[in-house]
Amino acid sequence: MSAIRGARERARIEVTAAIKVEARRQLAAEGAAKLSLRAVARELGMVSSALYRYFPSRDELLTALIVDAYDSVGEVAENAHRTAAPHGSAPAAHLARWVAVACAVRGWALAHPHEYALIYGSPVPGYSAPQATIAPASRVGLVLIAVVEDAHREVGLALPPLTEELRPEAERLAADLAPGLPPAVAPSIVAAWAQLFGLVSFEIFGQFDRVVEAREAFFRQAVEELGRTVGLLGTAARGTVDTAGQCAGAAGRGAER
């Protein structure tokens, strides 16, 4: 009986994977708004009722694709944080890791533009993301926080300015997202997180076309500056950090436009 159950489970895993592959193909061809369970079933040679046993609705299939995309870019960011080689002095090493994580995110987006558009592009009409997407969506942000926490613990931070007006919100953000960091850092991390994906989105969605040509160098310098806004580098002098190889070596990096 256990052998039969195991075979059924393997078959279910294989069919589920095939459904997702076809759904991603349709995303690339038609966009998320036009994703159709019937069309997926037709391309796979399945009747619609059979596909519904795997994904009862379009929204459940979309959620699975969204979770997979968030997990994929999150894993890339985590790997970059874990494997980034230190550059220069100890304070500068943390900025190099920050750049490596950012470049890995950009590389993933260039290699997977349609999946990036699914999670960071226009909302899908009629779709509301469930709670199941929150933890996967947080993975990149948590890596950025970990880089700053490492720097705070090992070499200290150059704390960014914090107005009294923003202090209550900064304290709330720190308590919720980064309890190991000074409150003054929390708003800057959230802003840097948003700006990182703003830079990537401008490149992926074409806003940099006929504006920025040296995309990699531009991105690298921009994310270095974002790292400084969150207090990385400590007292090391500006301009002494060697991060030139971080973007070029990012895993999953796509071709330059």
Side-chain angles (χ1 to χ4, degrees):
M1 183 65 72
S2 61
I4 294 174
R5 185 180 301 113
R8 287 174 177 169
E9 284 300 314
R10 287 193 298 274
R12 184 174 184 85
I13 290 170
E14 290 173 2
V15 174
T16 299
I19 291 170
K20 289 181 177 180
V21 168
E22 175 56 29
R24 291 189 188 100
R25 190 194 68 78
Q26 291 193 17
L27 285 179
E30 303 288 344
K34 293 185 178 180
L35 182 64
S36 162
L37 290 183
R38 288 183 181 275
V40 171
R42 182 172 59 251
E43 291 298 322
L44 292 175
M46 301 172 65
V47 296
S48 298
S49 58
L51 190 145
Y52 291 141
R53 291 200 293 269
Y54 295 86
F55 297 99
S57 68
R58 180 209 68 160
D59 284 5
E60 292 202 23
L61 177 53
L62 269 176
T63 295
L65 297 176
I66 288 167
V67 167
D68 284 353
Y70 277 131
D71 279 337
S72 181
V73 67
E75 182 177 3
V76 164
E78 290 160 2
N79 287 340
H81 179 220
R82 184 171 59 252
T83 61
H87 283 231
S89 63
H94 297 284
L95 183 59
R97 293 187 189 104
W98 172 278
V99 172
V101 169
C103 287
V105 169
R106 173 180 177 264
W108 181 90
L110 289 169
H112 304 87
H114 301 294
E115 291 171 68
Y116 182 88
L118 177 63
I119 54 177
Y120 291 110
S122 299
V124 180
Y127 175 79
S128 180
Q131 289 285 116
T133 62
I134 293 176
S138 302
R139 289 177 68 171
V140 171
L142 291 176
V143 174
L144 297 176
I145 290 170
V147 174
V148 180
E149 287 177 335
D150 290 346
H152 177 55
R153 181 176 59 254
E154 295 173 14
V155 299
L157 298 170
L159 294 182
L162 178 64
T163 66
E164 288 304 313
E165 178 184 20
L166 188 58
R167 184 170 297 280
E169 178 68 2
E171 292 173 350
R172 184 194 66 79
L173 286 171
D176 289 347
L177 303 176
L181 291 173
V185 178
S188 296
I189 292 177
V190 174
W193 184 9
Q195 289 172 78
L196 166 61
F197 283 103
L199 287 165
V200 174
S201 293
F202 263 51
E203 183 168 5
I204 295 297
F205 300 135
Q207 282 91 345
F208 282 153
D209 291 352
R210 295 183 296 278
V211 178
V212 178
E213 295 183 359
R215 302 283 177 85
E216 185 177 298
F218 177 87
F219 181 84
R220 186 173 60 247
Q221 178 166 317
V223 295
E224 283 183 22
E225 290 302 320
L226 290 180
R228 292 187 178 96
T229 68
V230 302
L232 296 179
L233 202 60
T235 58
R238 180 182 296 268
T240 63
V241 182
D242 175 15
T243 59
Q246 298 289 0
C247 279
R253 180 182 174 273
E256 283 284 274
R257 292 185 178 182

